[in-house]
Amino acid sequence: MATATLHLPAGAITVDVAFREEVARLSGQPLELCFQCQKCASGCYPTQEGDYTPNEIMRLIQYGARDAVFRSRTIWLCTSCETCGLRCPNGIRIAEVMDTLKQMAVERGITPAGETGPMFHNLFLNEIRATGRIHETMLMLKYKLKTGNLFADMKLGWQLFRRGKLPLLPRLKKDPAVRQIFERAGGQG
Amino acid sequence: MQYSYYPGCSLEATGVEYNLSTRAVAGALGLELVELPGWTCCGSSSAHAVNKDLTLGLAAHNIALAQQQGRDLVVPCSACYTRLSKADHQMRHDPGERARGEMLAGFSYTGEIQIYSFLEVVRVQVGMERVAQTVRQSLTGLKLACYYGCLLVRPPEVRPFDRAEDPTSLDELVAALGAEPVPWCYKTTCCGAGLSLTRPEVVEQLVARLLSAAREAGADALVSACPLCQNNLEMRRPAQEGIPVFYFTELMGLAFGLGEASGWLKKHLVDPFPLLQRFSLVG
Ligand code: SF4
Ligand code: SF4
């Protein structure tokens, strides 16, 4: 695998040419067309708290900066709102790219320190696997227990409960068809 | 007109008033919504973050169920609608994706049924004229910022029923109910609902910005078409911010004079009654 070192103001990064091709193939997006017009970044509110803008992620992919991309907080802040893809003059659906990057990062077990996104998704999918549906009350509780952050949002939870919005008893049962989908899809969840 | 109805997980819990009002309003318009037997979670925002096959497979499974029923499928939740209509679009237009979906969900895709959001049904199948004719109590004077959220009309090739950058269907709808839609720039700006549990501090900023933009535009309230947006806009707002957020179906029920409407509105975390009383819309 062809790698080299690239010296950026932020430090030296190892580049890997094959990375761009892999992301392009898995996402189905023409990544090589990005010419850094930054239109995607200008409409992207959710990732403003991240470490890179969407066009910077595109550039890092073009460089083949595999680790920088997998460790970035930005990919976990992307909500797939599709604003970027709608506006990109080169027809690149960046949400698809961000999804692909998340999937690849999870597969490789690489996530930025303190990022609870992947753990949340895992809990969520386990709920589906178990009963076919999401029981929101259980999901919230399990997430709170896992993060050890049981008391944040307690008041909110109580308010929801009082309005009949957090039912305690799910009307769910196991669904073998759903289990089969999980088996066929393999891997995560 | 008969449809299969896919409520989705949120409509059984945090979005319960959206569920109740959608069913009631559909009845008032002569649409019959038959709950899809055995429906399962569409995968929501978690499946596609983690596993591509699971994303298509979970959605395709529900499409298979709907196909068995032989009726078009109505999906009120924007997030579920996104997952289901995207999977349907993939399988309809890409033979490779069709084969993958068929393999994952164990069925044979016929493309015979269509998937609609409830807003789409109201706009395209019912039409604003019929909506206006059904109004018993006009929402005159109410200024509303229509908040479509990011998912409802995107991507455009999957959901061509409205414009992707500056949609108008909700605006037309509230106008048909007698209210006044205000022009504003945040119709489709993401509220961050998917990050509500994992990154609340980020979401709080997004929500604060949206709500203050609606106020600046002169709105008395916002109108939503998604349980995730509606909850997020109520739960993650700044403590002093009291602008209500309605589901469009609740406003339809109110304008149609349906007695149940106040029961739905009582479920909101942000009390909309003072505003409605000011306009003499509730007793
Ligand atoms: S909008 Fe498209 S071309 Fe422009 S910077 Fe973003 S990805 Fe690149
Ligand atoms: S899809 Fe992701 S990257 Fe694109 S604008 Fe939305 S949050 Fe930003």
Side-chain angles (χ1 to χ4, degrees), chain A residues 33-40 55 58 88-90 92 94:
Chain A
L33 295 184
C34 173
F35 50 28
Q36 293 296 313
C37 68
Q38 303 187 25
K39 239 183 147 182
C40 49
N55 60 293
M58 299 303 286
C88 173
N90 292 318
I92 305 170
I94 297 148

Side-chain angles (χ1 to χ4, degrees), chain A residues 134-140 156-157 159-161 163-167, chain B residues 7-20 77 193 196-197 226-232 234-235 245 247 250 264 266-269:
Chain A
I134 291 296
H135 184 229
E136 284 181 327
T137 317
M138 285 316 287
L139 181 68
M140 284 186 204
L156 215 51
Q159 288 176 338
L160 289 170
F161 177 72
R163 288 168 177 79
K165 292 182 153 199
L166 286 181
Chain B
C9 306
S10 289
L11 266 72
E12 304 222 307
T14 50
V16 62
E17 66 270 47
Y18 190 25
N19 196 0
L20 298 171
C77 167
S196 192
L197 272 179
C226 173
L228 307 185
C229 300
Q230 200 278 344
N231 266 289
N232 194 39
E234 289 205 340
M235 289 185 349
V245 185
Y247 288 108
E250 293 177 309
W264 314 326
K266 278 192 192 123
K267 295 194 172 285
H268 288 225
L269 293 181

Side-chain angles (χ1 to χ4, degrees), chain A residues 39-172:
Chain A
K39 239 183 147 182
C40 49
S42 69
C44 176
Y45 293 104
T47 72
Q48 276 174 4
E49 295 298 305
D51 33 16
Y52 302 106
T53 58
N55 60 293
E56 285 170 343
I57 293 283
M58 299 303 286
R59 183 57 108 208
L60 286 170
I61 300 171
Q62 289 175 334
Y63 282 156
R66 176 197 289 266
D67 281 352
V69 172
F70 285 151
R71 288 187 200 289
S72 100
R73 286 192 304 278
T74 294
I75 61 176
W76 295 102
L77 283 164
C78 167
T79 55
S80 298
C81 74
E82 311 243 16
T83 310
C84 51
L86 191 62
R87 297 177 181 172
C88 173
N90 292 318
I92 305 170
R93 296 277 192 229
I94 297 148
E96 298 286 340
V97 179
M98 294 288 194
D99 272 352
T100 301
L101 294 172
K102 285 181 210 167
Q103 291 160 10
M104 290 171 76
V106 165
E107 249 171 50
R108 289 161 179 73
I110 313 172
T111 42
E115 175 57 61
T116 56
M119 187 264 277
F120 172 75
H121 296 312
N122 226 16
L123 279 178
F124 196 100
L125 294 172
N126 278 334
E127 286 286 300
I128 305 179
R129 197 209 314 246
T131 59
R133 291 187 195 166
I134 291 296
H135 184 229
E136 284 181 327
T137 317
M138 285 316 287
L139 181 68
M140 284 186 204
L141 265 176
K142 283 184 184 166
Y143 176 77
K144 297 279 168 202
L145 284 171
K146 276 239 168 176
T147 50
N149 191 7
L150 202 52
F151 296 104
D153 293 338
M154 273 277 272
K155 198 171 141 221
L156 215 51
W158 173 240
Q159 288 176 338
L160 289 170
F161 177 72
R162 268 185 38 209
R163 288 168 177 79
K165 292 182 153 199
L166 286 181
L168 291 181
L169 289 178
R171 54 178 188 92
L172 305 175

Side-chain angles (χ1 to χ4, degrees), chain B residues 3-68:
Chain B
Y3 297 92
S4 282
Y5 179 67
Y6 179 95
C9 306
S10 289
L11 266 72
E12 304 222 307
T14 50
V16 62
E17 66 270 47
Y18 190 25
N19 196 0
L20 298 171
S21 54
T22 299
R23 289 172 189 262
V25 162
L29 291 170
L31 310 168
E32 199 183 330
L33 302 181
V34 185
E35 185 163 331
L36 183 67
W39 64 269
T40 57
C41 177
C42 64
S44 192
S45 44
S46 283
H48 67 91
V50 180
N51 185 315
K52 206 175 164 181
D53 282 341
L54 216 44
T55 313
L56 181 59
L58 289 170
H61 172 59
N62 288 289
I63 293 171
L65 294 176
Q67 206 176 274
Q68 273 168 25

Side-chain angles (χ1 to χ4, degrees), chain B residues 145-214:
Chain B
C146 292
Y147 179 59
Y148 297 75
C150 54
L151 297 173
L152 187 62
V153 289
R154 294 172 180 176
E157 66 276 12
V158 180
R159 285 170 273 270
F161 86 98
D162 203 342
R163 302 196 304 215
E165 277 283 19
D166 183 20
T168 57
S169 44
L170 271 181
D171 294 73
E172 288 161 26
L173 176 69
V174 300
L177 302 177
E180 188 187 323
V182 300
W184 69 317
C185 310
Y186 289 80
K187 283 181 174 180
T188 59
T189 302
C190 177
C191 70
L195 303 168
S196 192
L197 272 179
T198 53
R199 298 298 295 272
E201 76 292 354
V202 174
V203 180
E204 277 159 15
Q205 290 175 35
L206 300 175
V207 169
R209 184 204 305 255
L210 278 171
L211 297 180
S212 73

